[in-house]
Amino acid sequence: MWDVIMDNLPNIITALGTIILGWFTYNQYRKNKMTDLEIERIKKQDKIDNKRRSDNSTLVFGELWNLLYELNADRVYIVQPHPLGREEMLTVYFEVKRKGVEPMKPHIQNLKISEVANFASQLVKNLFWYINDIDNQVEDRYANSIISSCGCQGAIIKRLSDNKHDWVGSIFCEFTKPMEVDEEEARIVLHQAATNIQYILPEIRDF
């Protein structure tokens, strides 16, 4: 019996090697197939997410345009903190304005919150902020300087929040001339706009 086994040992080793190689080959094929399927799933999900972001961005811009004309403002934009959950910076991505009005977007890109800490704190605390005296109502010097240097005489600010975060951004409606809209009317209009925007607002990291 032992002699038979020894005589056939090379064949047995070859057969075992073939089985093991076959198992490894199949296992690698299965892993590659699963990887391909996962990559395909990610690609499909990315397409869905990109379309959703695009659709949501269009809706947000539409709401800002409505505010621009309904309030007779000169510039409307959204200041967004990021990353959400551990807010470190402020950025403006969404902005609409009247022709000839200087944009705010170039001035607020990855602005460190630590540089405008007092102002950022006010944005978080105030659900609605009607500013008709920038020098006296905006105490943070850096924020005061940015707003004033862009020709702003008055501003109306509305905080945005969603189901996960108390603050996902703030709508700024700015005026380069004396404001015509009164505080209560502005409060109603901005409340509706915030309701339409805050749950679909794409995060800054999405862009």
Side-chain angles (χ1 to χ4, degrees):
M1 180 66 177
W2 180 250
D3 291 339
V4 173
I5 293 175
M6 292 302 296
D7 290 341
N8 289 282
L9 185 59
N11 294 332
I12 294 172
I13 292 174
T14 300
L16 287 174
T18 301
I19 293 172
I20 293 171
L21 179 61
W23 182 85
F24 276 113
T25 301
Y26 169 76
N27 192 49
Q28 188 60 47
Y29 170 80
R30 185 172 62 85
K31 286 181 179 180
N32 291 342
K33 195 67 176 176
M34 290 178 66
T35 299
D36 290 342
L37 289 173
E38 181 63 16
I39 291 173
E40 189 63 29
R41 186 193 68 78
I42 291 173
K43 286 181 178 179
K44 288 181 179 179
Q45 188 61 46
D46 282 345
K47 288 182 179 179
I48 294 172
D49 291 344
N50 288 334
K51 186 178 187 306
R52 184 183 298 115
R53 283 195 290 269
S54 177
D55 291 345
N56 288 347
S57 294
T58 300
L59 293 173
V60 171
F61 275 119
E63 289 292 334
L64 297 188
W65 277 112
N66 287 340
L67 286 174
L68 187 75
Y69 288 99
E70 193 166 354
L71 298 178
N72 196 25
D74 295 292
R75 179 173 51 229
V76 180
Y77 56 92
I78 299 176
V79 171
Q80 293 178 253
H82 60 98
L84 290 179
R86 53 182 183 86
E87 293 74 14
E88 298 174 356
M89 293 175 286
L90 299 175
T91 290
V92 170
Y93 176 82
F94 296 96
E95 179 179 33
V96 300
K97 64 185 186 63
R98 293 187 185 275
K99 187 176 181 179
V101 175
E102 184 179 355
M104 184 62 74
K105 185 174 180 178
H107 301 284
I108 306 179
Q109 292 294 313
N110 297 319
L111 175 63
K112 292 182 179 179
I113 288 182
S114 59
E115 295 180 4
V116 286
N118 185 42
F119 188 59
S121 176
Q122 292 298 317
L123 294 179
V124 175
K125 291 177 182 177
N126 289 299
L127 187 61
F128 178 83
W129 197 3
Y130 187 89
I131 303 172
N132 52 16
D133 186 347
I134 294 174
D135 288 338
N136 290 321
Q137 289 179 265
V138 181
E139 298 177 357
D140 189 291
R141 292 182 179 180
Y142 192 91
N144 189 311
S145 175
I146 292 176
I147 295 173
S148 299
S149 65
C150 291
C152 182
Q153 294 187 23
I156 307 170
I157 304 172
K158 173 66 176 174
R159 192 186 75 191
L160 301 172
S161 58
D162 62 16
N163 294 328
K164 295 181 180 179
H165 306 91
D166 289 335
W167 183 41
V168 296
S170 296
I171 302 174
F172 280 66
C173 298
E174 295 184 344
F175 304 79
T176 59
K177 56 188 179 301
M179 292 189 291
E180 299 175 359
V181 62
D182 63 54
E183 186 171 349
E184 276 311 305
E185 181 184 355
R187 187 187 302 272
I188 293 170
V189 172
L190 276 164
H191 172 75
Q192 184 59 52
T195 300
N196 295 338
I197 290 173
Q198 57 195 6
Y199 297 108
I200 64 169
L201 181 66
E203 294 182 36
I204 287 299
R205 65 178 175 79
D206 289 338
F207 300 108

